[in-house]
Amino acid sequence: TAYRSKANEDFMEKEGFVSKVHRKKPHLKPMPRHIQKSNAGKSVIRSRVEHVFADQKSQTGLFIRTVGITRATMRIGLANIVYNMRRFLFLERISANA
């Protein structure tokens, strides 16, 4: 989830997780500086994860529509391998040019 909710916070506390979920800006008020910095730090991690999913969805056209969990799992696994190979080649090109 993108933002905090009472139900999610209660669940994470009950399960022993530390909440790393963004805080919303107060309505019609400026966002306090400490919350702004906290959200910015969380966004660094979140963007790294979200970019992988966005790439799989857009570049590889990943849309899972299979019969059975085994086929769906295999298709996602293959998409992960393709992403990792493409990422490796990209990083190799960058290091070769440097």
Side-chain angles (χ1 to χ4, degrees), residues 18 23 27-28 52 63-65 71 79 83 89 91 97:
V18 176
R23 293 184 185 270
H27 185 65
L28 299 175
V52 174
F63 184 75
I64 306 300
R65 203 168 186 165
R71 287 183 182 175
Y83 174 81
L89 292 173
L91 293 173
N97 291 337

Side-chain angles (χ1 to χ4, degrees), residues 11-30:
F11 172 78
M12 286 189 282
E13 185 178 329
K14 187 179 95 177
E15 296 296 321
F17 294 112
V18 176
S19 178
K20 301 280 185 180
V21 182
H22 283 73
R23 293 184 185 270
K24 283 186 177 180
K25 181 180 100 47
H27 185 65
L28 299 175
K29 295 182 183 176

